[in-house]
Amino acid sequence: MEHRDYHRLKKSIGQCSHMTELCSSDLQQALLHRDADKDGIAHAADASSLGEGPRDRLKDADTGWMQETRSPHWKGVEAPTWLLVIGGEEHSNMFQQQLQEDVLSSATSSPASTLYSPTPYPATGTWVQELSSDQCSVRLISLLYQCASEVAAGAFDRANLCLEHIMQLASLDAPHTLQRLAAVFADALARKLLNLVPGLSRALLSASASADTHLVPAARRSMFDMLPFLKLAYLTTNHAILEAMEGERFVHIVDLSGPAANAAQWIALFHAFRGRSEGTPHLRITAVHESKEFLAGMSAVLAREAEAFDIPFQFDAVEAKLEDMDFDALRHNLRVRSGEALAVSVALQLHRLLAADDAGGGRRYCGAGGLTPLQIIARSSPSSFGELLERDLNTRLQLSPDASGLSPQSPMFSPAGQGRPKLGSFLSAVKALCPKIMVVTEQEANHNGALFHERFDEALNYYGSLFDCLECAAAAAHRGSAAEERARVERAVLGEEIRSIVAYEGGERKERHERARQWAGRMEAAGMERVGLSYSGMMEARKLLQSCGRGGSYEVRHDAEGHCFFFCWHKKPLYAVSAWRPAGAGYHHAGGARSR
């Protein structure tokens, strides 16, 4: 995908969400007619509450489209930068014309013809062949937003029909990035819909989730090789540690990155320590990881490299997940000793502690007039299926207390309420260890909002950019396995993150990414203060991009105070690195870094 003429296309593509609302309203009238015919119940009051029809509202299309929409939660959704696959005024006009034609077709169709069509597309797949690539992109985005809106409302029938149309356009093996992205999001939305019946969803999804776990480590290695973001994070983390440890003879580094850990980061630090004027320190690395096999491999690699560099070295392994550790015993578990200068590195893991705080604090579905999930499905499905659910399943399946809440009106999650919050306990424990520096790498995105529609919109934008990065990296690799590696990353790494953000709630929603400014608030509230990242560290990161031939689309930026580095794709920040220490510790941060 090419990123140009964003402002020219933003208005036309951004109207997808408005078109979604028009089509959804038309579909709602059709379903009301169906229910009236089937049950003999008058729905005149419900139909009149829908207001004027899509055709009437289109009269104001030239004066700013709709001033009010049926779904205020999706109002004002802007076009993502990664969607800009074409440029020029001609294409922009084509987008707008196509969107208008879609809605006019929906508005003029009869209730019977729209009974099983959430959008004006034929039931068969022949219409797909008539679409250009650009038309396919517009319709996919419109369908995704419409489907998310239906899922959020618990509209089982309409969400199902949206998914049918999406999958006529999308596929995990499709040649275009947006088609593959849409297939992954469709999978996540389908799982979200299934979570209306928690017992059913858990029985079906647990087996499929475990089948691909062996692919994840290889997929993470492929992602590290193909994209520069983790390499940049390792480099800037090492640079900050090197500056903080100037003059120290005994250095202890704690690696809490878990699945994101890589021995290559510390081998590079060996090189850097070798170049110190005062010589290499006695170095000890403690790594926390859930895999005993990974830790054994990391230990062997680092011991061999340390011997080659003639560096006094010790490796300690802690077999655990960060979120499962006893933070009250953190000093003991990490074997922190007096007389050693301590540095802590944690990449892409802190957000998982937010999920631990939410475990057991789920919410019940309270939309659709207080109906249970089974009643919602029963009322929106054919009578035979509905009777089966009402008569049989409702007596067999017990809805769990953390059933997913799909309604935008559902109450916010509340923490489990027992014990201290995990993140707060962890930060307090780290502060008590008095590290000279703690370097944090996190995704620069807000995927921890309480409202589903906000998370969906943010995730679609964020992962669209990452899919775009992977596509470009695979195309530039010029090797036969590049496409296979890209697919592996999309499905086993990014796909799992998308499913976590979109499909799950409560403690099951592990990916709780937040922006750097939100993390700053959490860190400062825990008694930590910023450590400025040096300009020389940023220049080293930019040199790395140039040496890898990754200039142009990639960029390393910093905030005004030099406190945080952002790794960007087409100027969109995707990852952020920041450094911290206990407030008032009074450390002198050498190396020309800014300090507060």
Side-chain angles (χ1 to χ4, degrees):
M1 296 186 201
E2 297 183 12
H3 295 250
R4 56 179 185 267
D5 298 321
Y6 169 65
H7 295 290
R8 260 190 298 188
L9 289 178
K10 184 169 79 170
K11 180 179 179 180
S12 60
I13 303 174
Q15 289 161 353
C16 286
S17 59
H18 296 312
M19 294 304 177
T20 296
E21 292 151 2
L22 290 172
C23 295
S24 179
S25 178
D26 189 50
L27 175 67
Q28 187 171 0
Q29 296 182 64
L31 290 175
L32 285 173
H33 280 285
R34 183 195 70 174
D35 293 339
D37 293 340
K38 181 177 69 175
D39 301 327
I41 301 174
H43 292 280
D46 292 327
S48 63
S49 68
L50 295 176
E52 58 187 0
R55 184 196 296 269
D56 296 329
R57 278 178 285 176
L58 276 175
K59 293 178 182 178
D60 298 328
D62 295 331
T63 59
W65 296 90
M66 297 180 295
Q67 298 301 316
E68 295 183 1
T69 65
R70 290 287 304 158
S71 302
H73 301 291
W74 300 101
K75 187 173 182 180
V77 175
E78 294 188 350
T81 57
W82 52 269
L83 184 58
L84 304 184
V85 295
I86 56 174
E89 193 67 31
E90 178 182 353
H91 290 88
S92 178
N93 292 336
M94 182 275 293
F95 268 45
Q96 184 170 349
Q97 179 181 357
Q98 183 63 50
L99 287 167
Q100 292 182 2
E101 288 174 356
D102 287 350
V103 179
L104 285 172
S105 175
S106 177
T108 56
S109 59
S110 66
S113 67
T114 60
L115 185 58
Y116 292 103
S117 295
T119 47
Y121 312 139
T124 65
T126 57
W127 59 278
V128 177
Q129 302 174 2
E130 301 174 1
L131 294 179
S132 69
S133 175
D134 302 331
Q135 291 171 324
C136 177
S137 298
V138 173
R139 293 198 180 187
L140 267 178
I141 292 300
S142 179
L143 282 166
L144 283 170
Y145 276 109
Q146 181 177 344
C147 185
S149 183
E150 304 296 1
V151 168
F156 206 91
D157 267 3
R158 289 183 293 223
N160 175 64
L161 295 172
C162 286
L163 289 170
E164 288 183 5
H165 286 306
I166 291 171
M167 295 315 297
Q168 291 185 63
L169 292 169
S171 168
L172 288 175
D173 299 314
H176 299 296
T177 307
L178 181 56
Q179 292 175 297
R180 299 193 302 273
L181 179 74
V184 173
F185 270 87
D187 172 83
L189 288 169
R191 293 168 187 258
K192 180 78 168 176
L193 200 61
L194 269 181
N195 281 338
L196 282 169
V197 189
L200 176 63
S201 68
R202 287 169 184 164
L204 292 176
L205 300 182
S206 57
S208 63
S210 61
D212 295 334
T213 53
H214 68 284
L215 300 177
V216 175
R220 291 191 181 278
R221 288 193 297 269
S222 295
M223 186 172 178
F224 175 79
D225 293 336
M226 298 181 74
L227 300 181
F229 302 117
L230 270 181
K231 297 184 184 72
L232 293 170
Y234 294 160
L235 184 148
T236 52
T237 296
N238 287 355
H239 196 92
I241 291 175
L242 192 67
E243 291 179 340
M245 298 299 165
E246 184 174 342
E248 298 290 349
R249 297 300 304 161
F250 297 90
V251 174
H252 182 193
I253 296 173
V254 174
D255 185 351
L256 298 175
S257 299
N262 193 316
Q265 176 179 5
W266 308 123
I267 294 173
L269 187 63
F270 290 171
H271 281 271
F273 274 133
R274 277 289 301 274
R276 290 202 322 178
S277 58
E278 64 268 36
T280 58
H282 291 259
L283 182 61
R284 187 160 63 97
I285 293 179
T286 299
V288 177
H289 198 284
E290 62 179 308
S291 170
K292 185 176 182 179
E293 180 181 1
F294 174 87
L295 291 169
M298 188 177 192
S299 174
V301 169
L302 293 181
R304 186 169 57 249
E305 293 293 327
E307 184 178 1
F309 287 117
D310 195 24
I311 296 177
F313 176 72
Q314 179 182 341
F315 183 86
D316 292 327
V318 178
E319 186 181 349
K321 290 183 178 180
L322 177 62
E323 58 266 34
D324 294 336
M325 294 185 70
D326 179 6
F327 298 139
D328 290 333
L330 193 64
R331 177 180 293 275
H332 171 75
N333 292 334
L334 299 179
R335 304 174 182 90
V336 176
R337 305 168 185 167
S338 60
E340 293 180 330
L342 180 65
V344 177
S345 172
V346 53
L348 312 184
Q349 289 300 295
L350 280 190
H351 62 265
R352 301 181 72 86
L353 296 180
L354 298 174
D357 288 340
D358 206 10
R363 56 187 175 186
R364 294 179 180 270
Y365 185 79
C366 61
L371 300 179
T372 68
L374 291 174
Q375 291 171 329
I376 293 169
I377 300 173
R379 295 196 178 192
S380 66
S381 303
S383 58
S384 59
F385 181 48
E387 291 172 0
L388 173 66
L389 287 171
E390 289 284 351
R391 189 174 60 236
D392 186 21
L393 294 182
N394 208 14
T395 63
R396 296 188 181 187
L397 294 179
Q398 297 297 320
L399 297 180
S400 67
D402 60 341
S404 296
L406 300 182
S407 169
Q409 287 78 34
S410 297
M412 293 180 61
F413 285 121
S414 58
Q418 297 182 356
R420 292 178 296 167
K422 274 280 187 179
L423 180 63
S425 297
F426 169 74
L427 294 178
S428 296
V430 170
K431 180 186 176 185
L433 299 179
C434 296
K436 292 198 71 174
I437 191 166
M438 174 183 180
V439 187
V440 176
T441 301
E442 279 290 329
Q443 290 89 342
E444 180 62 9
N446 184 18
H447 296 146
N448 195 30
L451 298 179
F452 168 69
H453 71 274
E454 293 178 353
R455 296 202 311 269
F456 176 85
D457 181 48
E458 180 86 6
L460 190 59
N461 278 269
Y462 182 83
Y463 287 99
S465 293
L466 279 178
F467 270 60
D468 198 13
C469 287
L470 278 171
E471 175 68 24
C472 293
H478 301 298
R479 63 177 184 271
S481 62
E484 180 181 347
E485 293 173 15
R486 171 194 49 74
R488 188 186 300 145
V489 175
E490 289 177 348
R491 299 174 192 182
V493 179
L494 302 184
E496 282 302 313
E497 291 181 6
I498 291 169
R499 277 187 280 274
S500 175
I501 295 165
V502 173
Y504 302 122
E505 298 292 356
E508 295 180 333
R509 181 159 58 87
K510 303 295 185 183
E511 303 299 329
R512 302 294 187 107
H513 312 148
E514 293 188 344
R515 297 191 187 279
R517 62 176 179 271
Q518 294 169 288
W519 284 114
R522 294 182 183 276
M523 300 294 285
E524 290 171 351
M528 305 291 283
E529 68 179 11
R530 294 178 183 267
V531 175
L533 296 173
S534 68
Y535 179 77
S536 61
M538 185 177 66
M539 294 307 297
E540 288 294 322
R542 290 176 176 174
K543 287 179 182 178
L544 176 63
L545 284 179
Q546 293 174 356
S547 65
C548 297
R550 301 294 181 89
S553 301
Y554 295 96
E555 186 180 2
V556 179
R557 303 167 65 181
H558 60 82
D559 60 4
E561 293 80 20
H563 289 151
C564 191
F565 288 166
F566 299 97
F567 308 139
C568 310
W569 167 257
H570 287 286
K571 300 188 182 304
K572 178 180 176 61
L574 296 180
Y575 293 88
V577 175
S578 58
W580 303 86
R581 65 189 174 199
Y587 292 128
H588 171 65
H589 191 196
R594 300 181 180 93
S595 59
R596 196 173 61 176

PDB file of all heavy atoms in Angstrom, residues 89-116:
ATOM      1  N   GLU A  89      -7.370  12.853  -7.266  1.00  0.00           N
ATOM      2  CA  GLU A  89      -8.744  13.313  -7.148  1.00  0.00           C
ATOM      3  C   GLU A  89      -9.718  12.380  -7.844  1.00  0.00           C
ATOM      4  O   GLU A  89     -10.830  12.151  -7.386  1.00  0.00           O
ATOM      5  CB  GLU A  89      -8.859  14.720  -7.748  1.00  0.00           C
ATOM      6  CG  GLU A  89     -10.164  15.431  -7.396  1.00  0.00           C
ATOM      7  CD  GLU A  89     -10.225  15.740  -5.910  1.00  0.00           C
ATOM      8  OE1 GLU A  89      -9.167  15.966  -5.313  1.00  0.00           O
ATOM      9  OE2 GLU A  89     -11.345  15.742  -5.371  1.00  0.00           O
ATOM     10  N   GLU A  90      -9.284  11.777  -8.953  1.00  0.00           N
ATOM     11  CA  GLU A  90     -10.165  10.880  -9.689  1.00  0.00           C
ATOM     12  C   GLU A  90     -10.558   9.680  -8.837  1.00  0.00           C
ATOM     13  O   GLU A  90     -11.719   9.283  -8.779  1.00  0.00           O
ATOM     14  CB  GLU A  90      -9.460  10.414 -10.971  1.00  0.00           C
ATOM     15  CG  GLU A  90     -10.294   9.427 -11.784  1.00  0.00           C
ATOM     16  CD  GLU A  90      -9.551   8.953 -13.023  1.00  0.00           C
ATOM     17  OE1 GLU A  90      -8.456   9.497 -13.287  1.00  0.00           O
ATOM     18  OE2 GLU A  90     -10.071   8.066 -13.709  1.00  0.00           O
ATOM     19  N   HIS A  91      -9.592   9.095  -8.137  1.00  0.00           N
ATOM     20  CA  HIS A  91      -9.887   7.955  -7.291  1.00  0.00           C
ATOM     21  C   HIS A  91     -10.727   8.372  -6.090  1.00  0.00           C
ATOM     22  O   HIS A  91     -11.607   7.630  -5.654  1.00  0.00           O
ATOM     23  CB  HIS A  91      -8.591   7.304  -6.807  1.00  0.00           C
ATOM     24  CG  HIS A  91      -7.837   6.602  -7.886  1.00  0.00           C
ATOM     25  ND1 HIS A  91      -6.913   7.252  -8.662  1.00  0.00           N
ATOM     26  CD2 HIS A  91      -7.905   5.318  -8.321  1.00  0.00           C
ATOM     27  CE1 HIS A  91      -6.400   6.389  -9.530  1.00  0.00           C
ATOM     28  NE2 HIS A  91      -6.983   5.219  -9.344  1.00  0.00           N
ATOM     29  N   SER A  92     -10.474   9.555  -5.568  1.00  0.00           N
ATOM     30  CA  SER A  92     -11.266  10.033  -4.444  1.00  0.00           C
ATOM     31  C   SER A  92     -12.724  10.180  -4.836  1.00  0.00           C
ATOM     32  O   SER A  92     -13.628   9.796  -4.099  1.00  0.00           O
ATOM     33  CB  SER A  92     -10.710  11.376  -3.953  1.00  0.00           C
ATOM     34  OG  SER A  92     -11.487  11.870  -2.891  1.00  0.00           O
ATOM     35  N   ASN A  93     -12.968  10.735  -6.003  1.00  0.00           N
ATOM     36  CA  ASN A  93     -14.340  10.866  -6.479  1.00  0.00           C
ATOM     37  C   ASN A  93     -14.982   9.510  -6.690  1.00  0.00           C
ATOM     38  O   ASN A  93     -16.174   9.322  -6.442  1.00  0.00           O
ATOM     39  CB  ASN A  93     -14.368  11.671  -7.789  1.00  0.00           C
ATOM     40  CG  ASN A  93     -13.980  13.118  -7.573  1.00  0.00           C
ATOM     41  OD1 ASN A  93     -14.115  13.643  -6.473  1.00  0.00           O
ATOM     42  ND2 ASN A  93     -13.486  13.756  -8.619  1.00  0.00           N
ATOM     43  N   MET A  94     -14.194   8.558  -7.182  1.00  0.00           N
ATOM     44  CA  MET A  94     -14.718   7.210  -7.396  1.00  0.00           C
ATOM     45  C   MET A  94     -15.157   6.589  -6.075  1.00  0.00           C
ATOM     46  O   MET A  94     -16.211   5.956  -5.994  1.00  0.00           O
ATOM     47  CB  MET A  94     -13.659   6.338  -8.066  1.00  0.00           C
ATOM     48  CG  MET A  94     -14.117   4.904  -8.394  1.00  0.00           C
ATOM     49  SD  MET A  94     -13.934   3.776  -7.007  1.00  0.00           S
ATOM     50  CE  MET A  94     -12.155   3.726  -6.882  1.00  0.00           C
ATOM     51  N   PHE A  95     -14.360   6.790  -5.017  1.00  0.00           N
ATOM     52  CA  PHE A  95     -14.702   6.253  -3.704  1.00  0.00           C
ATOM     53  C   PHE A  95     -16.049   6.812  -3.247  1.00  0.00           C
ATOM     54  O   PHE A  95     -16.922   6.078  -2.812  1.00  0.00           O
ATOM     55  CB  PHE A  95     -13.618   6.637  -2.690  1.00  0.00           C
ATOM     56  CG  PHE A  95     -12.529   5.608  -2.563  1.00  0.00           C
ATOM     57  CD1 PHE A  95     -11.967   5.026  -3.681  1.00  0.00           C
ATOM     58  CD2 PHE A  95     -12.080   5.231  -1.304  1.00  0.00           C
ATOM     59  CE1 PHE A  95     -10.964   4.089  -3.566  1.00  0.00           C
ATOM     60  CE2 PHE A  95     -11.087   4.285  -1.181  1.00  0.00           C
ATOM     61  CZ  PHE A  95     -10.524   3.716  -2.312  1.00  0.00           C
ATOM     62  N   GLN A  96     -16.204   8.129  -3.345  1.00  0.00           N
ATOM     63  CA  GLN A  96     -17.423   8.764  -2.868  1.00  0.00           C
ATOM     64  C   GLN A  96     -18.616   8.308  -3.687  1.00  0.00           C
ATOM     65  O   GLN A  96     -19.689   8.015  -3.139  1.00  0.00           O
ATOM     66  CB  GLN A  96     -17.276  10.289  -2.941  1.00  0.00           C
ATOM     67  CG  GLN A  96     -18.483  11.043  -2.371  1.00  0.00           C
ATOM     68  CD  GLN A  96     -18.185  12.521  -2.256  1.00  0.00           C
ATOM     69  OE1 GLN A  96     -17.051  12.944  -2.400  1.00  0.00           O
ATOM     70  NE2 GLN A  96     -19.198  13.296  -2.004  1.00  0.00           N
ATOM     71  N   GLN A  97     -18.461   8.230  -5.012  1.00  0.00           N
ATOM     72  CA  GLN A  97     -19.552   7.795  -5.870  1.00  0.00           C
ATOM     73  C   GLN A  97     -19.963   6.363  -5.558  1.00  0.00           C
ATOM     74  O   GLN A  97     -21.140   6.037  -5.486  1.00  0.00           O
ATOM     75  CB  GLN A  97     -19.142   7.912  -7.336  1.00  0.00           C
ATOM     76  CG  GLN A  97     -20.242   7.457  -8.310  1.00  0.00           C
ATOM     77  CD  GLN A  97     -19.776   7.563  -9.759  1.00  0.00           C
ATOM     78  OE1 GLN A  97     -18.668   8.025 -10.022  1.00  0.00           O
ATOM     79  NE2 GLN A  97     -20.611   7.132 -10.675  1.00  0.00           N
ATOM     80  N   GLN A  98     -18.982   5.495  -5.334  1.00  0.00           N
ATOM     81  CA  GLN A  98     -19.287   4.098  -5.042  1.00  0.00           C
ATOM     82  C   GLN A  98     -20.049   3.967  -3.736  1.00  0.00           C
ATOM     83  O   GLN A  98     -21.004   3.195  -3.625  1.00  0.00           O
ATOM     84  CB  GLN A  98     -17.997   3.287  -4.975  1.00  0.00           C
ATOM     85  CG  GLN A  98     -18.225   1.794  -4.750  1.00  0.00           C
ATOM     86  CD  GLN A  98     -18.987   1.156  -5.888  1.00  0.00           C
ATOM     87  OE1 GLN A  98     -18.635   1.328  -7.052  1.00  0.00           O
ATOM     88  NE2 GLN A  98     -20.056   0.447  -5.553  1.00  0.00           N
ATOM     89  N   LEU A  99     -19.647   4.743  -2.731  1.00  0.00           N
ATOM     90  CA  LEU A  99     -20.331   4.675  -1.450  1.00  0.00           C
ATOM     91  C   LEU A  99     -21.781   5.133  -1.584  1.00  0.00           C
ATOM     92  O   LEU A  99     -22.691   4.544  -1.007  1.00  0.00           O
ATOM     93  CB  LEU A  99     -19.597   5.542  -0.426  1.00  0.00           C
ATOM     94  CG  LEU A  99     -18.265   4.988   0.076  1.00  0.00           C
ATOM     95  CD1 LEU A  99     -17.508   6.068   0.820  1.00  0.00           C
ATOM     96  CD2 LEU A  99     -18.482   3.788   0.942  1.00  0.00           C
ATOM     97  N   GLN A 100     -22.013   6.205  -2.342  1.00  0.00           N
ATOM     98  CA  GLN A 100     -23.368   6.689  -2.529  1.00  0.00           C
ATOM     99  C   GLN A 100     -24.220   5.668  -3.271  1.00  0.00           C
ATOM    100  O   GLN A 100     -25.382   5.441  -2.938  1.00  0.00           O
ATOM    101  CB  GLN A 100     -23.347   8.016  -3.278  1.00  0.00           C
ATOM    102  CG  GLN A 100     -22.742   9.159  -2.474  1.00  0.00           C
ATOM    103  CD  GLN A 100     -22.778  10.470  -3.237  1.00  0.00           C
ATOM    104  OE1 GLN A 100     -23.278  10.528  -4.340  1.00  0.00           O
ATOM    105  NE2 GLN A 100     -22.250  11.503  -2.627  1.00  0.00           N
ATOM    106  N   GLU A 101     -23.618   5.015  -4.296  1.00  0.00           N
ATOM    107  CA  GLU A 101     -24.366   4.023  -5.050  1.00  0.00           C
ATOM    108  C   GLU A 101     -24.768   2.851  -4.159  1.00  0.00           C
ATOM    109  O   GLU A 101     -25.859   2.311  -4.270  1.00  0.00           O
ATOM    110  CB  GLU A 101     -23.524   3.521  -6.225  1.00  0.00           C
ATOM    111  CG  GLU A 101     -23.376   4.550  -7.337  1.00  0.00           C
ATOM    112  CD  GLU A 101     -22.423   4.061  -8.418  1.00  0.00           C
ATOM    113  OE1 GLU A 101     -21.850   2.975  -8.239  1.00  0.00           O
ATOM    114  OE2 GLU A 101     -22.277   4.767  -9.435  1.00  0.00           O
ATOM    115  N   ASP A 102     -23.872   2.441  -3.268  1.00  0.00           N
ATOM    116  CA  ASP A 102     -24.188   1.338  -2.368  1.00  0.00           C
ATOM    117  C   ASP A 102     -25.409   1.649  -1.520  1.00  0.00           C
ATOM    118  O   ASP A 102     -26.307   0.827  -1.356  1.00  0.00           O
ATOM    119  CB  ASP A 102     -22.994   1.044  -1.448  1.00  0.00           C
ATOM    120  CG  ASP A 102     -21.858   0.356  -2.181  1.00  0.00           C
ATOM    121  OD1 ASP A 102     -22.080  -0.058  -3.335  1.00  0.00           O
ATOM    122  OD2 ASP A 102     -20.771   0.243  -1.588  1.00  0.00           O
ATOM    123  N   VAL A 103     -25.442   2.860  -0.941  1.00  0.00           N
ATOM    124  CA  VAL A 103     -26.529   3.191  -0.033  1.00  0.00           C
ATOM    125  C   VAL A 103     -27.822   3.433  -0.788  1.00  0.00           C
ATOM    126  O   VAL A 103     -28.897   3.059  -0.336  1.00  0.00           O
ATOM    127  CB  VAL A 103     -26.155   4.419   0.817  1.00  0.00           C
ATOM    128  CG1 VAL A 103     -27.292   4.784   1.741  1.00  0.00           C
ATOM    129  CG2 VAL A 103     -24.920   4.085   1.640  1.00  0.00           C
ATOM    130  N   LEU A 104     -27.752   4.056  -1.975  1.00  0.00           N
ATOM    131  CA  LEU A 104     -28.962   4.239  -2.768  1.00  0.00           C
ATOM    132  C   LEU A 104     -29.577   2.903  -3.146  1.00  0.00           C
ATOM    133  O   LEU A 104     -30.793   2.721  -3.122  1.00  0.00           O
ATOM    134  CB  LEU A 104     -28.642   5.048  -4.028  1.00  0.00           C
ATOM    135  CG  LEU A 104     -28.430   6.552  -3.805  1.00  0.00           C
ATOM    136  CD1 LEU A 104     -27.931   7.192  -5.089  1.00  0.00           C
ATOM    137  CD2 LEU A 104     -29.713   7.211  -3.341  1.00  0.00           C
ATOM    138  N   SER A 105     -28.724   1.939  -3.466  1.00  0.00           N
ATOM    139  CA  SER A 105     -29.211   0.602  -3.787  1.00  0.00           C
ATOM    140  C   SER A 105     -29.904  -0.018  -2.589  1.00  0.00           C
ATOM    141  O   SER A 105     -30.954  -0.647  -2.710  1.00  0.00           O
ATOM    142  CB  SER A 105     -28.045  -0.280  -4.242  1.00  0.00           C
ATOM    143  OG  SER A 105     -28.480  -1.600  -4.435  1.00  0.00           O
ATOM    144  N   SER A 106     -29.332   0.186  -1.420  1.00  0.00           N
ATOM    145  CA  SER A 106     -29.936  -0.347  -0.201  1.00  0.00           C
ATOM    146  C   SER A 106     -31.250   0.341   0.108  1.00  0.00           C
ATOM    147  O   SER A 106     -32.210  -0.287   0.538  1.00  0.00           O
ATOM    148  CB  SER A 106     -28.970  -0.183   0.972  1.00  0.00           C
ATOM    149  OG  SER A 106     -29.556  -0.620   2.158  1.00  0.00           O
ATOM    150  N   ALA A 107     -31.300   1.653  -0.130  1.00  0.00           N
ATOM    151  CA  ALA A 107     -32.494   2.412   0.203  1.00  0.00           C
ATOM    152  C   ALA A 107     -33.661   2.055  -0.690  1.00  0.00           C
ATOM    153  O   ALA A 107     -34.824   2.114  -0.278  1.00  0.00           O
ATOM    154  CB  ALA A 107     -32.202   3.910   0.106  1.00  0.00           C
ATOM    155  N   THR A 108     -33.404   1.717  -1.946  1.00  0.00           N
ATOM    156  CA  THR A 108     -34.479   1.430  -2.892  1.00  0.00           C
ATOM    157  C   THR A 108     -34.872  -0.028  -2.900  1.00  0.00           C
ATOM    158  O   THR A 108     -35.850  -0.394  -3.534  1.00  0.00           O
ATOM    159  CB  THR A 108     -34.047   1.820  -4.316  1.00  0.00           C
ATOM    160  OG1 THR A 108     -32.826   1.133  -4.625  1.00  0.00           O
ATOM    161  CG2 THR A 108     -33.832   3.320  -4.415  1.00  0.00           C
ATOM    162  N   SER A 109     -34.137  -0.893  -2.198  1.00  0.00           N
ATOM    163  CA  SER A 109     -34.485  -2.302  -2.165  1.00  0.00           C
ATOM    164  C   SER A 109     -35.622  -2.534  -1.183  1.00  0.00           C
ATOM    165  O   SER A 109     -35.800  -1.808  -0.218  1.00  0.00           O
ATOM    166  CB  SER A 109     -33.281  -3.150  -1.781  1.00  0.00           C
ATOM    167  OG  SER A 109     -32.801  -2.751  -0.526  1.00  0.00           O
ATOM    168  N   SER A 110     -36.433  -3.553  -1.434  1.00  0.00           N
ATOM    169  CA  SER A 110     -37.579  -3.861  -0.589  1.00  0.00           C
ATOM    170  C   SER A 110     -37.138  -4.577   0.672  1.00  0.00           C
ATOM    171  O   SER A 110     -36.060  -5.139   0.723  1.00  0.00           O
ATOM    172  CB  SER A 110     -38.550  -4.761  -1.362  1.00  0.00           C
ATOM    173  OG  SER A 110     -37.954  -6.010  -1.620  1.00  0.00           O
ATOM    174  N   PRO A 111     -38.002  -4.587   1.702  1.00  0.00           N
ATOM    175  CA  PRO A 111     -37.648  -5.330   2.903  1.00  0.00           C
ATOM    176  C   PRO A 111     -37.366  -6.790   2.627  1.00  0.00           C
ATOM    177  O   PRO A 111     -36.499  -7.381   3.234  1.00  0.00           O
ATOM    178  CB  PRO A 111     -38.878  -5.142   3.803  1.00  0.00           C
ATOM    179  CG  PRO A 111     -39.489  -3.860   3.341  1.00  0.00           C
ATOM    180  CD  PRO A 111     -39.230  -3.810   1.863  1.00  0.00           C
ATOM    181  N   ALA A 112     -38.128  -7.380   1.720  1.00  0.00           N
ATOM    182  CA  ALA A 112     -37.907  -8.794   1.438  1.00  0.00           C
ATOM    183  C   ALA A 112     -36.538  -9.038   0.834  1.00  0.00           C
ATOM    184  O   ALA A 112     -35.872 -10.014   1.137  1.00  0.00           O
ATOM    185  CB  ALA A 112     -38.990  -9.313   0.493  1.00  0.00           C
ATOM    186  N   SER A 113     -36.103  -8.131  -0.039  1.00  0.00           N
ATOM    187  CA  SER A 113     -34.816  -8.329  -0.697  1.00  0.00           C
ATOM    188  C   SER A 113     -33.658  -8.100   0.238  1.00  0.00           C
ATOM    189  O   SER A 113     -32.569  -8.603   0.008  1.00  0.00           O
ATOM    190  CB  SER A 113     -34.681  -7.393  -1.906  1.00  0.00           C
ATOM    191  OG  SER A 113     -34.621  -6.048  -1.471  1.00  0.00           O
ATOM    192  N   THR A 114     -33.865  -7.336   1.295  1.00  0.00           N
ATOM    193  CA  THR A 114     -32.779  -7.065   2.247  1.00  0.00           C
ATOM    194  C   THR A 114     -32.850  -7.948   3.473  1.00  0.00           C
ATOM    195  O   THR A 114     -32.089  -7.780   4.406  1.00  0.00           O
ATOM    196  CB  THR A 114     -32.827  -5.590   2.713  1.00  0.00           C
ATOM    197  OG1 THR A 114     -34.084  -5.352   3.348  1.00  0.00           O
ATOM    198  CG2 THR A 114     -32.622  -4.645   1.566  1.00  0.00           C
ATOM    199  N   LEU A 115     -33.783  -8.908   3.448  1.00  0.00           N
ATOM    200  CA  LEU A 115     -34.000  -9.725   4.635  1.00  0.00           C
ATOM    201  C   LEU A 115     -32.733 -10.413   5.100  1.00  0.00           C
ATOM    202  O   LEU A 115     -32.433 -10.470   6.281  1.00  0.00           O
ATOM    203  CB  LEU A 115     -35.074 -10.772   4.329  1.00  0.00           C
ATOM    204  CG  LEU A 115     -35.512 -11.651   5.507  1.00  0.00           C
ATOM    205  CD1 LEU A 115     -36.039 -10.790   6.639  1.00  0.00           C
ATOM    206  CD2 LEU A 115     -36.583 -12.636   5.041  1.00  0.00           C
ATOM    207  N   TYR A 116     -31.943 -10.923   4.165  1.00  0.00           N
ATOM    208  CA  TYR A 116     -30.719 -11.608   4.527  1.00  0.00           C
ATOM    209  C   TYR A 116     -29.507 -10.924   3.937  1.00  0.00           C
ATOM    210  O   TYR A 116     -28.518 -11.551   3.655  1.00  0.00           O
ATOM    211  CB  TYR A 116     -30.787 -13.074   4.073  1.00  0.00           C
ATOM    212  CG  TYR A 116     -31.795 -13.868   4.826  1.00  0.00           C
ATOM    213  CD1 TYR A 116     -33.017 -14.190   4.247  1.00  0.00           C
ATOM    214  CD2 TYR A 116     -31.557 -14.260   6.136  1.00  0.00           C
ATOM    215  CE1 TYR A 116     -33.972 -14.904   4.950  1.00  0.00           C
ATOM    216  CE2 TYR A 116     -32.504 -14.975   6.845  1.00  0.00           C
ATOM    217  CZ  TYR A 116     -33.711 -15.300   6.260  1.00  0.00           C
ATOM    218  OH  TYR A 116     -34.637 -15.998   6.964  1.00  0.00           O
TER     219      TYR A 116
END
